[in-house]
Structure formats: C-alpha cells, structure tokens
Amino acid sequence: MTPTTTPAPAKAFTPQDFHSGLIVRWCPGCGDYAILAAVQKVLSERGKAPHEYAFVSGIGCSSRFPLYMSTYGFHSIHGRALAVATGVKAAAPSQEVWVITGDGDCLSIGGNHFIHALRRNQDLKIILFNNEIYGLTKGQYSPTSRKGLVNKSAPYGVIDEPANPLRLALAAGATFVARTADNDMAHMTEVFRRAAAHKGSAFIEVLQNCVIFNDKVFEEYYGVKTRKDTLIYLHDGQPLLYGKTVERGLRLDGFSFSSVEASGEAKIHVHDEHESTGALANALAGLTHPDYPVPLGVFRQVERPAYHELMYEQVDAARKAYGEPDLAKLLKGPKTWTVS
Amino acid sequence: MTPTTTPAPAKAFTPQDFHSGLIVRWCPGCGDYAILAAVQKVLSERGKAPHEYAFVSGIGCSSRFPLYMSTYGFHSIHGRALAVATGVKAAAPSQEVWVITGDGDCLSIGGNHFIHALRRNQDLKIILFNNEIYGLTKGQYSPTSRKGLVNKSAPYGVIDEPANPLRLALAAGATFVARTADNDMAHMTEVFRRAAAHKGSAFIEVLQNCVIFNDKVFEEYYGVKTRKDTLIYLHDGQPLLYGKTVERGLRLDGFSFSSVEASGEAKIHVHDEHESTGALANALAGLTHPDYPVPLGVFRQVERPAYHELMYEQVDAARKAYGEPDLAKLLKGPKTWTVS
Amino acid sequence: MSTVTEDGILGNTERHEIKELDSVTILFAGDSGDGMQITGSQFTDASVVFGNDISTFPDFPAEIRAPSGTLAGVSAYQLHFSNHDIRTPGDRVDTLVAMNAAALKKYLPELEKGGILIADKSGFGPNELKKVDYASNPLEDGSLSEYRVVQADITAQTIAAVKPAGLTGRNAERCKNFYTLGIAYYLYDRPLEPTFDEIRKRFAKKEPVIAEANIAAIQAGYNFAHTIELFKVTYRVRRAVFEPGTYRNISGNLATAMGVAAAASRSGRKVFFGSYPITPASDILHELSRLKHFGVLTFQAEDEIAAVASAVGASFGGILGVTCSSGPGIALKSEAINLAVMTELPLVVIDVQRSGPSTGMPTKTEQADLLMALFGRNSDSPIPVIAPATPGECFECIYEAARVAVKYMTPVMFLSDGYLGNGAEPWKIPDAAALKAFNPSWGLDPAGFKPYARNPDTGARPWVPVGTPGLNYRTTGIEKAENSGGISYDPENHQRMTKARFDKVAKIAQEIPATPVFGAQEGDLLVVSWGGTYGATLTAAETVFAQGKKIGHVHLRWLNPLPPDLGSILKRYKKILVPEINVGQLAYHLRGTYGIPVESYARIRGKAFTVGELVTAYHAQLPQGA
Amino acid sequence: MSTVTEDGILGNTERHEIKELDSVTILFAGDSGDGMQITGSQFTDASVVFGNDISTFPDFPAEIRAPSGTLAGVSAYQLHFSNHDIRTPGDRVDTLVAMNAAALKKYLPELEKGGILIADKSGFGPNELKKVDYASNPLEDGSLSEYRVVQADITAQTIAAVKPAGLTGRNAERCKNFYTLGIAYYLYDRPLEPTFDEIRKRFAKKEPVIAEANIAAIQAGYNFAHTIELFKVTYRVRRAVFEPGTYRNISGNLATAMGVAAAASRSGRKVFFGSYPITPASDILHELSRLKHFGVLTFQAEDEIAAVASAVGASFGGILGVTCSSGPGIALKSEAINLAVMTELPLVVIDVQRSGPSTGMPTKTEQADLLMALFGRNSDSPIPVIAPATPGECFECIYEAARVAVKYMTPVMFLSDGYLGNGAEPWKIPDAAALKAFNPSWGLDPAGFKPYARNPDTGARPWVPVGTPGLNYRTTGIEKAENSGGISYDPENHQRMTKARFDKVAKIAQEIPATPVFGAQEGDLLVVSWGGTYGATLTAAETVFAQGKKIGHVHLRWLNPLPPDLGSILKRYKKILVPEINVGQLAYHLRGTYGIPVESYARIRGKAFTVGELVTAYHAQLPQGA
Ligand SMILES: Cc1ncc(C[n+]2csc(CCOP(=O)(O)OP(=O)(O)O)c2C)c(N)n1
Ligand SMILES: Cc1ncc(C[n+]2csc(CCOP(=O)(O)OP(=O)(O)O)c2C)c(N)n1
Ligand code: SF4
Ligand code: SF4
Ligand SMILES: [Mg+2]
Ligand SMILES: [Mg+2]
C-alpha cells in the first residue's frame, strides 16, 4: 500500500476533539476500541472540523460508534445505515459521510442496501466491523461465521457457507475495497486515510475481535507473532511478497495464485489496485487461511463519478434547461380556461 | 456447453401437460412466451409429473409465470420469491423448486434474498428474466438498466451503474451460473436441462426482450443475424472461440482477456466450468459488448452440499442422538418438584 | 367541410331536435390497444374547455397488454360532465361506446335502460364473441332492444377515411378511436377545433401524417353521425357556473407531485423524494423526476425500505424527506417511519391506496389503509394523517402535510387513493405566491443548543441542517433524554417522552379550522366521510337533505388529530353513519376515540360508491316516515 | 461444619428469633460481571424446590458489557417468594443485595423503609462512588439510617474462603455472588444442599475446582451470617399450597419454545421456524435450535422479511410456518404476513414485545404492539391475536395459536412481552399426551378438489401438502375467485372474499370458553386486562374487592376475536377501566368494537405495574365513600 500524503491541516485537531464525551461502552478488550481510536486519529489529521463529518450506523455493538464521535451522528435502525446515509449525503453533499456497520447489520439484514450503495458509487466511507458474529444480540452466527461454528443459534454447527464481503463488494462495483485488522493500529490508520481520500464508495473490512462471543477467531492468522507468515500486505505496484524474511510470494497460474518461494526465478505477481477488470482484486479476495496468506490492504481503487455528483448535475442541467423554477407556470400547465 | 443426456422419461409428458390452462397474458411479442415454452419443453422430457414441481415467483410481468404452469405454484409478493421458495423447499425437500423472477424482483427489492439463497446453496433453479426494465409497473429503470437510458423515472437518463447479475451470483457463491437468450430456443432448453440436473443453487440469466418498454435492448449483440460475431458460446473443456467462421478467440493476458485471431499461434483459453477459484467465471461475466463478445452458456458449475440436505442431516443427527422426541420429558425439564 | 366546425359550435339546430341536459355520463370501452384512454381524455378536454364541470374515472386492465378481445383486456374511461357542480364520475352510464364484444359484456350492466350504445361491428366477429362466451351476436339477436343501439363498421370506415392522409393497414385502423370521438362529439354537440389544435400541436412536427389522419377520422365520424342523421336527437350540456378564476384539468397524482414541488420551492429547503415504483403511485415519481429544477432530488431506491430510510436520512441532513408508495410498500416502510417518529424528524409519507390485502387488486381503488396509517408501527407511535377529498385537493393537502411535518418535526401520512390519483377534475389554479413559505429556524442558536428541546407552541425540536458549525449532535432510535437527546432508559423519562410525542401530534389540531357541516346542523343523522368518497357521500347527502330529512354531512381532512370540534358536532345527532370503501375503519376510529356508537356503511368492491346506493343507505338510518 | 446444612433445614431455633412471613421480595443487584442473574436463579430454584410460590423479574443492562461501576452496567434479579399464590415480582423490595455503589444508587428507591440492605464494602471505593456521583460513601455517611444495613468486605472474605479450593485472583473474586447467596440463604432459612447438588452436577466434571470454590463460598457466606449473628431475626416463608401435580420453574420464552415443539410433534406435520435474532425474542430461536428432533426446522434468515416469507413458503409447502421477533421486526414482516392472510395459509407470528417506538428501550418491557398486531397491514386484513397472561401460559397459548392457525387457515399473532419472556414462575407441567393432536385433512380429495373451497364449520380452505398428486394448484396474493382460487377482479367477488376472510376469524370465537369474571359479577367497576399485566391487575382487584368494593376483573386471552360474551359482561358495570403498559390500546379497541366509554390507566415506563399503583387507580374510578 502506498502511503498517502495528507495535506497540512488547516486547523490542528486532536483525536480527543472527535470524542463526544459519552463513556465508551464496549466490553473491555473489544476490538471496537482500537477502530474508534484509529478513526479519531485519522480525522484529527485531516484538517476538517468535527461538524464537517457525519457518521451513520445501524444497530449492533459496532453501530454505537457514532454516539462516541463529536461529529454529526445518526445511530439508526438495524441494517439501514447505508440507506439512511444515502439520504444524508444527498441532502448535504459537502458533508463527509462515514458509515459504521457490522457483519450482521451490513451483510445480513442490510445486504441489499450494501450492493446497491456500492453499485451507485455513493460517496460513503464504509467500515465493516467484521467479528463473524452478532455481538449485540449475544452471540448468534452471522453471514460471515464459519461453517461448523457452534453458537447459540447453531448448537449443532453453522450449515451456511460464509459470505465473502470483499468479493461481494467487488461484484457490486465498489470503487475502493480494502481490509485491515483491529490489532494493527498503523495499518488501520493508513487504510482509513486512503479511504478518506477516495471519492466514491470506499469499503473497508476490519477484522474485529469480539472477546465475548467469538474470541480469537482471527488469531490464527492475524496474531502478532505469526502474522508475517500468515498475512500478506498489499502495496500498489509492488510484488505480492510475504513471510518473516519476505521469502515467499504469490505467482499467477492461469486464474489462480500459487504460494511460492520468492527465489530469483519465480515470477511474483505485482499488485495493481487499478487493474481494469477487477479480476485481480477478486482473486486476492478469494485467498483464505491456511492455504494462502490472508491479504490486508487496498485490493482495488478506481475512479468513477460519485452518485451525488451525477444527481446534482441533473438538477443543475434541469435548472439550466428550464431556468429558475416558475411555480406559477407549473401550476398552470399546458391548458387552462378562465371563468369570469 | 456439453449436451446433457436426459434419462428416458418414466412416463411421457408433453409440454401441454405443463400448462395450467390459464390464458397467457403477456404482451404479444414478449420474450416471456419463449421462456415459458422452453421450460415446459424441458420439463416434459424429464419424466417427473407436474405435481413434483413447484414454481415460485414474486411480482412482475415475468412473475406471472407460475400461474401458467400446471405444477404447484406460488405467485407471491414482490422481491420475496427466493425467501418463499426457501420455505417451500424445506417443507417439501423432494419437490423440485423453480424460482421465476425479474431484474427488479430479484436484484432490486429481492437483492438480499438473492445473495443469501445462493450463498447457502439452496437447491433452487432460479430463472432471472432480465429485460433491463420494470415491465409490470410500466417502464421504470431497473438495476440492470444501462446508464443513460431515458425512461419514465429517469427522464434525464439513468445515473446508476448497472448491476452485473452474474458477477453478483458468483460472488455470492452460486454453484451453477449460466446465461441464455429468449430468442434462442435450442440454447435455452439446453441451459434449462443443465440447471435442472444440477443439485444446489442454479442461477440462469435470460436476456429477455420487453417489446413495450425496452424493445430491442439486446438486439445489437443477440440479433440472429450478427450473433455469431457478437456472442460467444461457452462449452466446458473447449477453447473460447467465436465468430462466423470460428475465426476469433479469447486469450488470457494476466487477469484479462484479449479477443484475438484464432490462428495457430494464439493460445486460446479453454473454458472450465469447474475452475476452483471462480475467477474464470468472474472474468467471463465481465465481458461486455461491444469490446468483447458476450458469453452465453454455463459459466460455472461446481458441487457443494445443498442447504436442505444439511438441514435435514442435522434433524436426523439430533434424532439419532436424542432418540424419538419425548414431549413429556421435554416438558419436565431438568428439575421438578411434586405437590400432592 | 369548412362549415362543419361552426356547425358544431352553433348546433345543428335546423336539422333535428337538440335536448338540453343537466349532466351526462359517457363511457368509452374497448380493447387495451384501442386507445380508449386517449378518446376519453380528449372528450374530457373538450368538455372542460367548453366549460362543463367534469369528473372522470379511468379503469385499466391489470396487465400491460392483456390478450385482445378478452374481458381482462378491456380498458375503459368514464366521464361525467355537467352544467353544475359534480363530484363523481356518475353512477350510471348514458352513452356507452363499445369497441368490441368484451367491452360490451363488461360494461352493459352500467348502461341506463334506454341509453345509447355505440358499437363497432367489426369487434363482434365470431372470434370476439367466443372469447367472452356470447352464444349469439348481441348486436343482432335482439337482446339489446332496451337500448338505442348505433352500430357501424367503424374500423372499415376509419380505414377509408384516413386513406387520403396516407395511412394504411394497422396504423389506419388505430385511428378508429378518433372516429368514435367524432360520433360522440356530434352526439353531445362538442366543438371540434380545440381537439384539432391539440392534435396538430402534438403530432404535426414529428408525425404530420398521423395528425392529419386523426383529424380526418374525427371529422369522418362527426360527418357520419351528422349526415346520416344517426341520432334523431342530440344533446347539449350547458356551461357550468364556476367560481371565477383560471382553471385546468388535473389528476390527483399530478396535483400531488406539484404539491411536493411547491413545498420544495416554497420551503426554502430542498425536497428529497425517495421512492420505489408501485401502482397506482408511480406517476408521482415520474412527474417529480421531471421537476428537478424545483429543487426536488428524486431517488429511485432499490426497495421501499431504502426509499423511506434515505428520506429519513435526508431529513436528518436538513432537507425534507418525502417517500411515496401504495399499501404493500407502506407496510414495508413502517419500521423506518417509526425511526422518524422516534428521532423526531420531518417526513412526508404518500400512500396512494389500492385494493388489498396483499397484492389484492392493484389497479382498483380502496380506502383501507387508514388504520395501518394510524397504528401500523411497533409500540406507541403517533403520526398525523391527512387525506385529500378530490384530485385537485391533493395539491393543497400534500403542501399542508409538508408544512406540518416541518413545523412539528414529525412524519405525516398522506392518504390518497387510486380513484383520486387517476381521476381528474377541473381545478382552480391556486396563486403560487400566496402559498405560505415555511422554513423553521427555531432552536438553532449554538449557545444553549439542545437537540431535543421543544418549541412551546408546537412541541417540535429544532431542525438542524447537518454541517452547521456548533450544532453537531447525535441522534438514535433509542429512547432519548428530554432536551439533551442522550440515550435514556429512565422509566419516568420514557413516560414523559412518549407523552411529548403524542402531545406534539395533538397540537396539530390548532392547524385545523372549524369543521363545516353541510345540511342539518343537528338532527337525526350525521354522515361522516373522508378521502375520495367526498363527492359521492356529499351528493347523496344533498339529495336526502333536499328531501327534507334532518341529515348533516361532515367530511374529514385530518384523521389524526381529529378536528377539535368534531366531538361536539357528533353529539348533536341521533345517529352517526360512516360510509367507507373498507370494512369500517373510520367508524372504528371514531368509536375508539369518542366511545360512542357509530354505524358503518362498508363496501369493498375496489370501486367508488354510487350516489344512488348511498341515498338508500342514508334512508335506512333515518327514522321511517319522518 | 457438617451440621450446618441440617441447621439450615431445621432452622437456627435455639440461637435467635425466627419470624414467619407470608411473602418476601429480594433483589440482587451488582455489576454485569458480578453474576447477579446466577445468584437470583439459584435462590429462585431453592425457593421453588422448597415449595414457595415465586415470581421473578431479571433486569439486564442494554449493553453486552457496560463499563463496570456505572449505572448502565447494573444487572439485577428480583424475586418474590411466598406461602400463597402470587403473580408479580413484588412492588417493593424487602431485602436488597448491592454489590457496588451503582447497584445501590439504582435500586435503593425500591427498598422498603426498614428493609435489609446487604452491601459489599469493596464495591464502594472512591472510584465506584465517583462513577455514580456519590459525594460521600452512603455506607458511612449515615444516609442509610432508615434501613438495616449489613456490610462486609464480601470480596475479600470470598477470596479467603475459596483459597483452599485452589482458586485465586480474578477467578476467586468471581465467587463473591455465591458468598452473598450464602448470606441470603441464612437470612431466609433456605436449605443449602439442593444448590450444592446443582453446582456439583454442573461443574464437577469439567471444572471441579470451580464447583468446590462455589460451594465453599456459599458455605462461608452462610457461616458468616450464622456465626457472627449478623441478623438478630431471620425469616421463614412456608410452603405455598399448590394444586397437586408436578411442577417446574419456567420462563415465558422457554415455555413458548416448548409449545412450538409440542405443536410440531402433536400436529402430525413438522414446524418450520424462520427467525432473525432480536432482543427479547432470540431465546426462543436458541431453544428451538436444540429441539430439531421434535420436528422443528429452524432457519436463521438473513432478515425478518426472509424469516416470515420462508415461513409462509413452508406453510404453502405443507408444514406449519412459525416466525418470531419483537416489535421492529414484526413491523418489517407485515407485508408478508398479509400474503398469508390473502393466500389463506396457516402461520404463527410470535411477537415478544419490547419498549418502543423504533429501537426504544430494547431490554425493557411494554405491551404496545396490540394495535399493530390488529391493524398493521395494508387494507382490510383480519388476523386473530392471542396473548398469554403468565410465563407458563405461553406454552398453552402458543399451542392454541398453532392449532387455530391450522384449523382456520390463517396467520395468528401471539403477543408475549419481555416481562413474560424473561420472567419465571412455577409451572404445573401439563400432560403431554392430553394435548389435542391436530392434522387437518379436510378438502384433500382430488375428486372435486377446489383450493379455495371453505369448510362450513371453520371457513377454512384445504391445507394441501405440496407434492400431493392430483392437488396441484397455484395461489397468489392477488384477489382470488371463490372456490377455484383463480385471479378475480370482480367487485362482488372481492366483497364476498373480504367478508369470508373476516367471517373466518370471527368464527374462532367458538374456540373461546365463557369468560370468567373475578369479584363482583356486576357493579361499579370492571377492570379489563390482557397479557403480562394479569398478575398485577388481578392482585389489585382482589385487594379492592376484599375492601368491599363492587369491582370485577376480566382478563382477555384472545384480543381478536374478542370473547363472544364480553359485550354483555361490559354492560353490567357502570365503568370499565383498562390498565395497560401502553397509551391505552385495548381501551381504544374496546371502544372501537363496542362503541361504549372505556377508561384507560396507561403507564409507559418500560416496566410492570405495581399492585399498589393499581389499587390507587381502581379507587379513583370507584364511587367515593361507597
Ligand atoms: C429490525 C431489527 N432486527 C433485529 C434487531 C436485533 N439486532 C440488533 S443488532 C443485531 C446484529 C448485530 O450484529 P452485527 O451487525 O454483526 O454487529 P455487532 O454487534 O457484531 O457489532 C441484531 C440481530 C434489531 N435491532 N432490529
Ligand atoms: C412491495 C411492492 N413494491 C412494489 C411493487 C410494484 N412492482 C410490481 S412488479 C415491479 C417491478 C417489476 O420489474 P421486474 O421484476 O423486472 O419484472 P418485469 O415486469 O420486468 O418482468 C414493481 C416495482 C409491488 N407489487 N410490491
Ligand atoms: S459483545 Fe463482542 S463485539 Fe460487542 S462490545 Fe462485547 S466484545 Fe465487542
Ligand atoms: S411489458 Fe414487457 S415484459 Fe411485460 S409482458 Fe409486456 S413485453 Fe413482456
Ligand atoms: Mg458482528
Ligand atoms: Mg424486468
């Protein structure tokens, strides 16, 4: 991932300036704390004041996030964060709108709004707190829960194939797709910075640990000790290398990747965030532990006009074509008669 | 596409046996007629009697389909065909359940059920009548309508990026994904035969012409005269060749295809319905006119246990573990006391 | 031929008798492809321009193109025009135009005995007769002897008439509706020129051949009727006396759309219109999509939930969210409407009601979503409900809904219906400049800003435009503490906030003027109506009052809150009767509110009341012989 | 130490006074992590096994793990146990266990003056005091002088007590709830052995250390209270007199789940349970997920709409569809419920009501979804509504709902609430074999099969298992012709079908037995209640009746249809009063149905009524001095 250069902030804000003052009420040890801190840190660097942001969420543990921000905030109803945010952005196109959502909120009840908001390229920064569980309702499986997981609503194990949020986002047409992890502050802040700088739908999956109902579900591959061998960090224009001593890499074989020794001969594939067809990002999104290293970073970043721009363009075009709105003329319509 | 060998029917049915007798009420010239005929033809060959099928639909022009079938049928509510079908299949696991849906019904209001039904690999044969418009409500744009299309609800042109149904189906984890066209009876019947034979979620997009509100929208590439040059027919294990004289083919360049002369040297990619990562199908699903030939046929076919099988396996396992259900014991629970 | 037009205007006085009538109902019926909606609208336009009062009722088939010749494929347009104030499209039909056997079969029961039937012979071939189970041709078997039947091979005559214009085949045949229009114009002594002008305006540039052919067809039909003296008597309905002013013809859906556009341009804030198409509400979306320059952002959402949730988001953002659907879609929106109730954001919810439950009869009308509007949300969730009485009133009511939504920071439900939405009437064009602007700025001072403080006059909290410096706040669907809006689980706070939400809606009563009562101001029977049954219920009440009965009539525009004076009005009558096109929802609501007996006249047939049945129903409630 | 257990059972007669009480309310309150729910349940179990009647009310924080020491983090369990029939968890608290300052702050107002307060000193450090704005330590500043305060460093003592078992640190500390339990057991003279057995059964295998530590903690608490004669007086509540039978303790949600399982195994058809988790309904899904061998297919859907639509599909398939949610989810289901109304398919909709509107106060109770249940769907859409009165009754009512759904081919709404769902009571275990089996086979003969023919006794159409040869049929949410079920837009058919759907629901009245009236059979005041307020409203009526007032009490199980004899019962009283935890929904429904005045006592505080406030409310409606 290429580090972004942030413009010098117009006014200096501290992360604390982005805190609403409400006591944060996640379980001690919950991954949500780190994500909150990362977002507040990134926003404090960007020069915009809190009132220039709006945070919109649905319902879930993660969805309480906006209440902890000093920005405008709407903690709405379960699954509808993206739909609500659509309206906020349309109403206030210069507002920077962030959406906070969970794997249940976004991919289960909210799945339809998810694919459509991405398809339209609505200018929203969407952070999916993926803990592979319904936290707030105390531990039912979610669409990202792994097959076989035993929990409250699946005492004999989950039989649903888990959803792949990144592949869905890509198929829906998202213009910015990334993944990061709650235990890597530096990586998180860098990904959030990149998302903030992107115009259009920016989708970020954060691997988020729920200490209560799904503890350590990512530990095997994102654990600090082993992660150099089990994760692969994506950097635009750089070969797909990983391993403690950067000794391994991904080689393209037809349509699939092979993990190979990064020796002189092996042709390690070079990451390209802007690859036109989206096939590279799709292939990377399909890599899972333990067969492959799990990719973190920006999978894809492309440009297309954002939805609110097109929406307002049509309004402006109509204004240009028909001039200032003339209500009296509208009411009269094409055909009238007069009674005196 | 490899032709399937249909087993000799136990009893001979005619397509007419699958007609409910209700007068078919689509607009004269509507593509829906041909799809109905194709389905009735395919079912008549398969040896199953009408009562062994159930057709479930939502609301839309296409969704009236089940009313014309002599099978069991449920013309339900807009967008919920897949959800309703989920229950039908669970209740009657030996019933063969087909779902008829439109681009609005399936991808707009029904989008969430779409991705989840495919993810779970529910054993449903899903035919999407894609006419890139809302027919029944008289011509508003749909999620598959092309950008810029002018219609009733977009007098200044559609600003939404169209959805790619096949890519969404693939990302959702569909185990059978195909595309066919309402003006090609032979191809349609072959694809439907293949879908019928598939166990698990089978998704088929049919390019369907709406003569009234979106006439000839596919004509440029599926028109009978030019289609050999503008479509490419997928055949498992065969190179991706097309053109009137089979003179062109698709070559893989990294992650994208190039259309090249099918001369001796060019390495034309060979289609593989079972390619493990799904990346090939995803790449094919991204090919659009006029840059590429539009693929028709089976993009992907893989095996995974179907949802109703897993569901009933758990019931059986529970029966085995706990024996015949003992209601009296359940009511008593672990701790009682007696008052005499 | 140049004199024929004048002839039309002057009337064919020399040649035959002209009878003056007070009002006439004509119904054009044919196959979906026969252009009956166009014929009907043209006749309507000619009548309004002439100066009649009118009321119309288009009746479409449910299918886009139902198979031709079938009952399901019949498309009809009913027009009632008169020399006085009328409010319904007519109980019974005076003249029926039937382009084929199916049209005749479906609508003959509506034709008055002795009424005129104009039939196109070519629509009564063996095939057409078989499709609707006619054993013999009714035009020939004497079964129509009680009617005045005019039959002609209209199709053939049309083809001949338009040939000179250069039209042949299917295209020529398509003009037959205009030929019929010509016959009808002759019969009812309508001027032809305005229609010719209209046709020229519409087609002349792009399709001059079509324009000429249509004109030729009208003229031919007119001449045919004139020349062969088809009718011994023709009819004339004089101008109605209208209030002075400029008028246009308007449908309810168009009036609704214009009302939303008016709210956008007069409120000082834009409107966000989030919608998902559904019959019979989609036309409002279509109209508004063309009115973007009025500050209306239209958003065709992926489903109804996104439609309403985005509208709520827009209202949070600071511009007025409006959403629009029919019954099934409104049901889906209920959870998100409740979010607007709880966060106290303005929102206008348009419900163009249709026949149900579930998909029901989507192209038919009903007024059966009242109780859903009042109660169709989880928990105690008050929202104001307003319902227009006529197509034209949709404009005023939706504007009022928007104004109240903003003033009281609440969702407002606007209950139109298929009958109002598609029906049309002459509408006195309101003065745009006189519409009260509304742009609340209460409570927006950053000093001491409290997002859930209440305006003492309205109970409303401040409406904050997102992005305003110093007013950053968070809201949620969770119960909130008074003033601060922070989350609160305190039992007494919840009690107070619940009360505050109800009080706020109750306060809207201060917007409702004194309720006018038609007829007896006290006495035996008070008829209470709401929504689209206004015309029929009032006309029937006029009839019965004119017969000397002690009957009064009240029509409600606001269903919640009810007018503050309604309770005392109800007490002045021995009986209360509520006629409704549902199983008795307003009757239940009045009983539920006032704890008094209320009778219900409930008919659920997917269509409007006739005045006749209501007169009978009123009499049944009145003392015998009184 | 070996004698202590016996001591407990026999009572400590020699050493101090034992006072007999009729009933006691004890409330355990502490931080979410303090294990108060376990303490409460253990005490409850000990009480039911001993033979008391009980009623409980757990009160969780909304957060999974709210920050410790805050008011929002307090978790409490209230238990009312007695020697006679009781129905509420108690108005006022006799003994309060407060593990920290927040618990004290939140629940002290509930403690009777003169009541006992048991406090863990270590929860009153400077930090804890600050978090809840205590300026000084109430345990020390004399502000608790009106109560009998027992304070000890429970944490430290627990740690010491469990050390021999091998537990240290955080794990040792975690046993402090058991230490408190020991104190409470001593105070109320409960036997220890059953709890020890229970603990051994649960932990001995997997975590023997934990088992021993917990037992040691209980014993230590007990000994502490005993040895230092903490209490001069201890209390004894004798066995209650129960109807003979075998009893268990049961919560409403568990009873509901078992009722669904019973329906699956006794109906002869499976049950499909489609649900999406939501507080406080999720436990029903959890329970049923473990009861698959009873023929319950559980399906955790992607959203509420899929949950209900799949259940409707299952019912079409031929097994009973059941769906379950709370208010916000029920709102989302309304469109699809209407599909079941229109297609006439059986469906059970479970609504475990919670405080609203919108997200409201999800962990708090309310009975405010009644009008949504009755009317929250587009158009005229009748569905029966049933509501259990007590946790145990959930079983019987849900079974009844399933039976009626199938017998009448209709959705049935089952209205439980958070108070019933989470609350527990002793429940006389019904005889499984005596549950009426139901498996309708009416109308399934292929000869003359009509999918929409009606059973003359019930108005129900046949329930066809999909796949049956010869019965293939199609259904739709569009209006259908009588008998054949083909699509029909005929106005008169729609009127008849609407009536048939209403008549069918009205016929369910034949399932309702005569309504028992408690107290005066006619007179000044009739109290009408429904749902979870049964216990409090009846107990208050008993009190007022015992005071010689002419008061009667009726509790409704069916809200639609209402009992056929209710109209005549209502007429026998001068006034009708409906106490409800909503703004007055049943009161409105009774007025709306009968057109008579009905008073409402409405409190919306997210919690149950107290008997005391109801007694006052009843008196306010009774003639003064009568
Ligand atoms: C309409 C509706 N349905 C269901 C719920 C209950 N509910 C609240 S949050 C939630 C799931 C939370 O899971 P997720 O989105 O993954 O968030 P997390 O708590 O894990 O952060 C559910 C089912 C609700 N509040 N509203
Ligand atoms: C809840 C609900 N919302 C909206 C509608 C209106 N509606 C019916 S069909 C339809 C779209 C049809 O489009 P599509 O699914 O593409 O089917 P087509 O008619 O093109 O075959 C809409 C919006 C409805 N019936 N119910
Ligand atoms: S339940 Fe899980 S996700 Fe929710 S706050 Fe606790 S640890 Fe975090
Ligand atoms: S409107 Fe279009 S899709 Fe619908 S029946 Fe007519 S041609 Fe077919
Ligand atoms: Mg989660
Ligand atoms: Mg379509």
Side-chain angles (χ1 to χ4, degrees), chain A residues 59 64 67 75-78 136, chain C residues 335 338-339 341-343 378-380 476-481 486-490 493-494 497-498 501, chain D residues 62-63 278-279 326-328 353-366 369 604-606:
Chain A
I59 300 280
R64 298 188 66 116
L67 300 175
H75 175 240
S76 71
I77 44 177
H78 191 41
L136 189 71
Chain C
E335 194 214 0
N338 232 353
L339 178 63
V341 169
M342 196 56 155
T343 51
N378 57 303
S379 194
D380 294 305
T476 162
I478 298 179
E479 184 59 288
K480 282 164 295 296
I487 287 179
S488 169
Y489 280 80
D490 176 51
N493 174 77
H494 179 49
M497 286 296 273
T498 303
R501 288 186 291 264
Chain D
E63 287 82 20
I278 188 168
T279 306
S326 186
Q353 299 164 96
R354 67 188 212 185
S355 171
S358 194
T359 306
M361 307 194 296
T363 54
K364 304 290 169 190
T365 198
E366 232 165 63
D369 291 352
I604 319 100
R605 297 167 302 195

Side-chain angles (χ1 to χ4, degrees), chain D residues 155-179 199 203 206-218:
Chain D
T155 306
Q157 296 190 29
T158 304
I159 292 174
V162 303
K163 206 168 180 187
L167 228 58
T168 53
R170 187 81 194 92
N171 283 336
E173 215 179 287
R174 279 225 186 91
C175 299
K176 68 183 170 190
N177 60 327
F178 283 100
Y179 190 97
I199 289 172
F203 294 109
K206 283 195 204 156
E207 304 175 286
V209 174
I210 301 278
E212 278 323 300
N214 284 345
I215 288 171
I218 295 175

Side-chain angles (χ1 to χ4, degrees), chain B residues 25-33 60-62 129 131 133-139 208-214, chain C residues 63-65:
Chain B
R25 283 196 183 149
W26 288 305
C27 305
C30 175
D32 292 3
Y33 285 97
C61 291
S62 38
F129 289 45
N131 54 12
I133 205 83
Y134 294 167
L136 189 71
T137 45
K138 308 195 174 168
Q208 176 247 319
N209 192 43
C210 168
V211 289
I212 303 295
F213 297 112
N214 212 11
Chain C
E63 287 81 20
I64 306 301
R65 293 280 183 277

